[in-house]
Amino acid sequence: MNDVLKPYFVLACVAFFVGFASYLALGRMLAPPTLATDDWQASISAPAVPDQPLARAKHI
């Protein structure tokens, strides 16, 4: 039984390797280029102060 399935196992391994290698190659080529002018010192923005409190006071 092992001799019958061995060619299919080899074919599946080769197909997986070729597919994975092409995925890696095309993924790097089709990825959008990163911008070299990224400002790592971007300004910090804070959310607006809400007029209403987030939780109402509860009375027992």
Side-chain angles (χ1 to χ4, degrees):
M1 187 71 174
N2 193 17
D3 293 336
V4 174
L5 295 178
K6 189 174 183 179
Y8 295 111
F9 180 70
V10 171
L11 180 64
C13 289
V14 169
F16 175 79
F17 179 74
V18 169
F20 189 70
S22 63
Y23 170 76
L24 290 178
L26 288 177
R28 289 183 182 161
M29 286 193 317
L30 297 178
T34 58
L35 298 176
T37 61
D38 287 338
D39 187 14
W40 60 275
Q41 292 181 338
S43 62
I44 298 174
S45 62
V49 178
D51 295 335
Q52 301 281 335
L54 296 178
R56 295 184 207 144
K58 294 186 178 182
H59 301 285
I60 297 179

